[in-house]
Amino acid sequence: MKVKKEFAVIGLGRFGGSIVRSLTEQGMEVMAIDINEDRVNEFASIATQAVIADTTDENVLKSLGIRNFDHVIVAIGDNIQSSILTTIIMKELGVEHITVKAQNDYHEKVLRKIGADHVVHPERDMGRRIAHYIVSTNVLDYLELSEEYSIVEVMVNDILAGHTLVELDIRAKYGLNIVAIKRGKEIIVSPLANAPLELNDILIIIGADTDINRFEKKVLVE
Amino acid sequence: MKVKKEFAVIGLGRFGGSIVRSLTEQGMEVMAIDINEDRVNEFASIATQAVIADTTDENVLKSLGIRNFDHVIVAIGDNIQSSILTTIIMKELGVEHITVKAQNDYHEKVLRKIGADHVVHPERDMGRRIAHYIVSTNVLDYLELSEEYSIVEVMVNDILAGHTLVELDIRAKYGLNIVAIKRGKEIIVSPLANAPLELNDILIIIGADTDINRFEKKVLVE
Ligand SMILES: Nc1ncnc2c1ncn2[C@@H]1O[C@H](COP(=O)(O)OP(=O)(O)OP(=O)(O)O)[C@@H](O)[C@H]1O
Ligand SMILES: Nc1ncnc2c1ncn2[C@@H]1O[C@H](COP(=O)(O)OP(=O)(O)OP(=O)(O)O)[C@@H](O)[C@H]1O
Ligand SMILES: [Ca+2]
Ligand SMILES: [Ca+2]
Ligand SMILES: [Ca+2]
Ligand SMILES: [Ca+2]
């Protein structure tokens, strides 16, 4: 059993570049690959290794020992052909786990057919997240648990501030559970039922989307 | 008080387009704007209104009545000048709330100086999210509550399956709370302490990042 997983990221745009930085911050070994020299230079001091390479060339991928990586992320966007070809070659070479950024639904379909293990749509997914929280300016972030359940962050406004959880009785009235309260930098897990909420506290709430919407409409109206 | 908020989205790439779709699905009024006719046509049957316009032209923005919208999202990416100019004009015209997509940190700084209310980095943020969950293939999604606290989704593997929460005693051993369990399409909020976990259940866990990492390393090793 290897202790550390080894990652390679192909394509160092905003998305791929962010993955390289974040994996490195988490202490992982990351090879950063791009066809563009300037982009590679940007990551020379960040990644474990930074390599200029055209990953649509099978021999190049072989010489990089690509099949020894535990997980390769293909973050080539606009050039859909290169993204597909890179993925096909890596499958043939036996790379264990491949995650690919898709530009659209057709691209995703092709990627799945050729055996990509995981297909991601960063712009689309982030668009959805942002659309969710701008609908109610009080909802700051959310995690979609299923089609119908979410965890949301809701800011305490004048209407809620000063009241205790017992008084508000959100569980009985809305079927929602308060998982935690964020107060400044502090996170209060299992908050006390009889402590008053403070203005700008952030409630971490779990529940059905319909109940969350009901709560937002009732309690967070401006 | 208006019942429905009105939104405008400028730039119908993957990110802006996704926002238009999601806002519309949530029942909002959305005007979709792009300089590119093909992109606008794509949204003719989706948005409340779809308009071909160059938003760097002040008169164009005035004639669209841009200042009457409650919230305008600028999702112009590659053309940073257009993004900045569009934002400046809207500030001058008195648009109440402006969210802008930034391409990099310099772009963000300029946007903040000229008064953008909210600056977003979709590719960067999604890169971070994905980097977090690929480090442990068992962590499926996560919500960062603060620098040190997160909510994560963790898949139940052979090691955990069959055990009850009492047996695992995750709270005492790791300082983590299990907020909910996702089993197929069902979400079990406040799960029973003495019901055995099933393979592929998804645990929704809240806690300090260090404790979550400790738990992952100890319990989720392959
Ligand atoms: N054949 C290839 N081999 C290696 N890298 C490639 C190849 N083709 C494209 N790339 C690289 O992929 C990176 C991402 O490409 P893309 O066109 O999606 O950039 P982007 O729009 O900046 O992406 P993002 O939306 O993540 O910011 C670029 O840096 C590009 O040089
Ligand atoms: N001055 C302008 N007025 C209106 N729309 C514009 C203007 N300039 C650019 N746009 C539009 O903004 C949209 C987004 O531009 P961008 O170059 O970021 O596309 P993209 O890379 O496809 O974005 P994404 O990463 O969200 O997929 C394009 O559809 C473009 O036509
Ligand atoms: Ca692009
Ligand atoms: Ca992009
Ligand atoms: Ca939903
Ligand atoms: Ca963190």
Side-chain angles (χ1 to χ4, degrees), chain A residues 14, chain B residues 76-78 80 101-105 107-108 120-121 123:
Chain A
R14 281 170 293 272
Chain B
I76 299 174
D78 295 341
I80 292 184
K101 173 187 168 169
Q103 294 295 84
N104 55 54
D105 292 346
H107 189 190
E108 164 158 12
V120 293
H121 295 260
E123 290 95 348

Side-chain angles (χ1 to χ4, degrees), chain A residues 115-161:
Chain A
D117 300 287
H118 205 73
V119 178
V120 293
H121 295 260
E123 291 95 348
R124 186 193 69 187
D125 292 352
M126 200 47 90
R128 284 188 193 156
R129 290 181 81 84
I130 283 169
H132 269 266
Y133 82 65
I134 62 185
V135 164
S136 154
T137 30
N138 294 76
V139 175
L140 305 173
D141 204 352
Y142 84 108
L143 179 69
E144 193 170 76
L145 299 179
S146 72
E147 283 294 307
E148 283 153 31
Y149 270 79
S150 303
I151 292 178
V152 296
E153 293 186 358
V154 172
M155 176 93 80
V156 168
N157 60 10
D158 320 355
I159 302 176
L160 294 175

Side-chain angles (χ1 to χ4, degrees), chain A residues 123, chain B residues 11 14-15 34-35 39 53-55 75-78 101 123:
Chain A
E123 291 95 348
Chain B
R14 281 171 293 272
F15 178 63
D34 202 290
I35 201 171
R39 295 231 158 149
D54 179 352
T55 59
I76 299 174
D78 295 341
K101 173 187 168 169
E123 290 95 348

Side-chain angles (χ1 to χ4, degrees), chain A residues 163-188:
Chain A
H163 294 282
T164 67
L165 294 180
V166 171
E167 283 165 27
L168 296 171
D169 201 14
I170 292 169
R171 187 191 292 223
K173 282 194 193 140
Y174 300 96
L176 300 173
N177 278 325
I178 301 203
V179 170
I181 295 175
K182 201 152 103 180
R183 181 170 295 158
K185 295 197 162 188
E186 194 190 358
I187 302 283
I188 307 164

Side-chain angles (χ1 to χ4, degrees), chain B residues 136-156:
Chain B
S136 156
T137 30
N138 294 76
V139 175
L140 305 173
D141 203 353
Y142 84 108
L143 179 70
E144 192 170 75
L145 299 178
S146 73
E147 281 294 304
E148 284 152 31
Y149 270 79
S150 302
I151 292 178
V152 295
E153 293 186 356
V154 172
M155 176 94 78
V156 168

